[in-house]
Amino acid sequence: MTRLNGKTAVITGGATGIGRAAAQRFIEEGAFVFIFGRRQEALDAAVAELGPNARAVKGSVSDPADLDRLYAAVKAERASLDIVFANAGAGSPLPLGKITAEHIDEIFNTNVKGSIFTIQKALPLMGRGGSIILTGSSAGTTGAPAFSAYSASKAAVRNLARTWAEDLKGTGIRVNVLSPGPTATELAKEALGEEGMKAFASMNPLQCMADPAEIGAVAAFLASQDSSFMTASEVAVDGGLAQI
Ligand SMILES: NC(=O)c1ccc[n+]([C@@H]2O[C@H](COP(=O)([O-])OP(=O)(O)OC[C@H]3O[C@@H](n4cnc5c(N)ncnc54)[C@H](OP(=O)(O)O)[C@@H]3O)[C@@H](O)[C@H]2O)c1
């Protein structure tokens, strides 16, 4: 498929997991992709595999100056931007009673503040036909034991798309939320451990975890004109977890 021919995309957290799978898929569909993350070695390894239509910029979505450098690099090489997949995310468990201010800051600075500035700073490069994809989670709908900060941050992300669809009225830029369920990535492994992963996988009607490529495929749909009449939507890719 060549649905993204000639398009320029930014994927935060694009070196690993869902972001990496989306980068691969976007490039296969014709896009030029900038990936963004904090670990240089992970970025280098990803770009080496993604090939000549990938670039990497190192930085944190929590730091507005890093995002300025990202978009300066996009502007210098591509002049404009069509697709932003705000995928970088943080999440770890702490049950009610043990929650700390640092825990909340880390999660909200990445998932909420990070998503806000990733998009706000992209807008000057975007125009009609642009597609913004935010990353929610099944946990933003259902809640999950000990994941209150994470779940609340993803519920906030879901509302950002509703509000921004209004703020972007008349611009021709769409904004949607892609909400994965259990997906076999580093983040899931670190947050849940092996046993937790098995339990998480057994909770949905499909009885397994997604391969990151299955989430990347839906990101490509939301990035493309195949989803041209969708904005403010949440698309669940969760094996049915939050739908039953
Ligand atoms: N896996 C699941 O089961 C699942 C379920 C629902 C939702 N999600 C969401 O899916 C998204 C992707 O997660 P994943 O599962 O693919 O995990 P992952 O492989 O750990 O990917 C997360 C990526 O985000 C980057 N990142 C984290 N904090 C960042 C920051 N402050 N600035 C820039 N980049 C940052 C990480 O790179 P660096 O560490 O190098 O910065 C990493 O590449 C997240 O938003 C997550 O909440 C995942």
Side-chain angles (χ1 to χ4, degrees):
M1 272 194 279
T2 52
R3 293 183 297 184
L4 304 181
N5 246 352
K7 303 282 185 193
T8 301
V10 158
I11 303 179
T12 63
T16 64
I18 291 168
R20 164 76 164 277
Q24 178 81 48
R25 180 67 184 251
F26 285 15
I27 289 169
E28 282 165 13
E29 296 215 24
F32 191 98
V33 175
F34 289 79
I35 59 171
F36 182 73
R38 295 165 301 175
R39 286 169 297 165
Q40 190 66 54
E41 63 285 7
L43 292 168
D44 290 345
V47 165
E49 281 192 15
L50 290 167
N53 289 334
R55 296 287 181 273
V57 177
K58 180 175 180 285
S60 171
V61 292
S62 311
D63 185 340
D66 286 352
L67 289 167
D68 286 338
R69 283 191 302 100
L70 166 66
Y71 293 118
V74 174
K75 190 174 180 187
E77 189 162 3
R78 301 289 292 181
S80 63
L81 180 61
D82 305 289
I83 300 154
V84 185
F85 183 15
N87 159 80
S92 55
L94 272 187
L96 186 62
K98 297 256 164 62
I99 296 167
T100 62
E102 293 72 26
H103 175 74
I104 294 172
D105 285 348
E106 192 212 339
I107 291 173
F108 274 75
N109 279 344
T110 309
N111 299 355
V112 182
K113 179 181 145 187
S115 296
I116 291 172
F117 286 109
T118 296
I119 301 311
Q120 183 162 286
K121 287 178 175 292
L123 286 178
L125 295 178
M126 297 185 77
R128 199 154 282 285
S131 175
I132 294 166
I133 305 161
L134 305 178
T135 305
S137 170
S138 51
T141 298
T142 62
F147 278 89
S148 49
Y150 178 75
S151 303
S153 76
K154 294 299 189 177
V157 166
R158 201 280 167 253
N159 190 273
L160 292 178
R162 294 191 200 277
T163 304
W164 289 347
E166 293 277 24
D167 288 348
L168 291 168
K169 221 178 246 177
T171 65
I173 300 172
R174 303 179 296 109
V175 53
N176 294 289
V177 180
L178 193 173
S179 288
T183 309
T185 66
E186 277 175 36
L187 185 143
K189 204 169 178 180
E190 277 168 22
L192 301 168
E194 288 295 346
E195 286 310 307
M197 295 253 286
K198 276 188 205 141
F200 197 18
S202 70
M203 284 162 62
N204 72 74
L206 295 181
Q207 297 280 283
C208 60
M209 297 193 86
D211 184 285
E214 294 177 279
I215 315 295
V218 179
F221 162 71
L222 288 173
S224 79
Q225 284 301 302
D226 281 354
S227 58
S228 56
F229 201 56
M230 292 177 68
T231 195
S233 290
E234 179 175 20
V235 179
V237 193
D238 64 356
L241 176 63
Q243 318 308 316
I244 50 174

